[in-house]
Amino acid sequence: MELQPFDEGELKGEGDYEGLLFADLDLAGQDGRDARFLDCALRRCGLDETRLTGARFIDTELEEMRGIGTDLVGAVLRDVTLIDARLGGVQMHGSVMERVVVRGGKIDYLNLRAATLKDVVFEGCVLVEADFAGAQMERVVFRDCTVRQVDFSNARMKGVDLREVVELDIARGVDRLAGAVISPTQLLELAPAFAAQIGVRVAGPGD
């Protein structure tokens, strides 16, 4: 289907957007709360402080998005591809991600607290201080990613695959890895954290 250029100027709350191309637009500070994006593409758009609370993205491609403080609280992303994003402080508390691919790019301080992730792939991206506290994660794969200072506190995992993470640094929630798969190398690297979690002191002879 050939996408038609978006020419309405600004996003609207509860807007209904279907088959549209949003390209090279500055959407900073705009209000698209509860909007629906179906079969759309957003490419190289600015999303600084853009309000997309409760928005739904279905069969939509998000490419080279840039933004700080984008509000996606309670949003739904279904059959979505996010490519080469450069985002910081994205608020996705309580959001739903189903059949989503996050490929490339860097996302700092991603807030996915109490979110639901199902059939999600993070591939070749950098996540710094991502917050998955209280999230429900089912069949989530991290492939060739750098994951630094991640928070898994109170997360519930089922079929989460961390084996191909390039760098795995868990700040909190190492005790919530039940339901995840890690590599033998990662097990050795996480051994001190596991020991500390269960109160085991590791010391050499004479220490």
Side-chain angles (χ1 to χ4, degrees):
M1 181 178 69
E2 183 177 353
L3 302 178
Q4 300 301 312
F6 173 74
D7 58 4
E8 297 179 24
E10 292 194 1
L11 298 174
K12 297 179 180 178
E14 299 184 357
D16 197 355
Y17 307 111
E18 182 172 353
L20 295 178
L21 171 63
F22 299 75
D24 301 297
L25 300 177
D26 184 4
L27 305 176
Q30 294 189 20
D31 189 347
R33 285 177 286 188
D34 298 315
R36 184 186 74 134
F37 299 83
L38 174 64
D39 291 319
C40 290
L42 286 76
R43 296 175 181 151
R44 301 173 302 279
C45 292
L47 295 175
D48 288 337
E49 305 292 340
T50 305
R51 294 179 294 279
L52 292 162
T53 313
R56 289 171 291 162
F57 297 83
I58 303 169
D59 289 312
T60 290
E61 181 179 290
L62 309 174
E63 183 177 348
E64 296 185 29
M65 309 304 288
R66 303 288 185 272
I68 302 295
T70 309
D71 185 352
L72 285 157
V73 173
V76 175
L77 284 71
R78 185 171 291 120
D79 297 304
V80 166
T81 303
L82 178 62
I83 302 172
D84 291 333
R86 292 290 188 275
L87 299 169
V90 179
Q91 301 301 311
M92 297 188 68
H93 179 92
S95 63
V96 175
M97 300 174 68
E98 293 184 3
R99 299 183 297 278
V100 172
V101 176
V102 180
R103 180 176 297 125
K106 182 182 180 184
I107 305 177
D108 297 322
Y109 312 112
L110 174 61
N111 181 357
L112 282 165
R113 295 176 72 88
T116 299
L117 295 84
K118 187 174 182 179
D119 297 309
V120 175
V121 177
F122 293 92
E123 183 175 53
C125 58
V126 177
L127 301 176
V128 179
E129 295 193 39
D131 189 348
F132 293 91
Q136 298 184 51
M137 306 172 66
E138 183 174 354
R139 295 191 298 277
V140 178
V141 177
F142 295 82
R143 184 179 299 135
D144 298 324
C145 294
T146 296
V147 182
R148 298 182 185 136
Q149 292 290 296
V150 64
D151 187 349
F152 287 133
S153 302
N154 298 314
R156 285 170 284 180
M157 300 187 183
K158 181 179 180 181
V160 174
D161 194 338
L162 296 163
R163 290 174 294 179
E164 295 183 62
V165 172
V166 175
E167 178 184 339
L168 179 60
D169 176 13
I170 300 176
R172 290 171 294 278
V174 69
D175 59 317
R176 307 301 297 185
L177 291 180
V181 181
I182 61 175
S183 70
T185 299
Q186 289 169 335
L187 176 60
L188 292 176
E189 293 172 347
L190 292 171
F194 283 130
Q197 184 62 43
I198 62 175
V200 173
R201 179 173 175 267
V202 180
D207 291 344

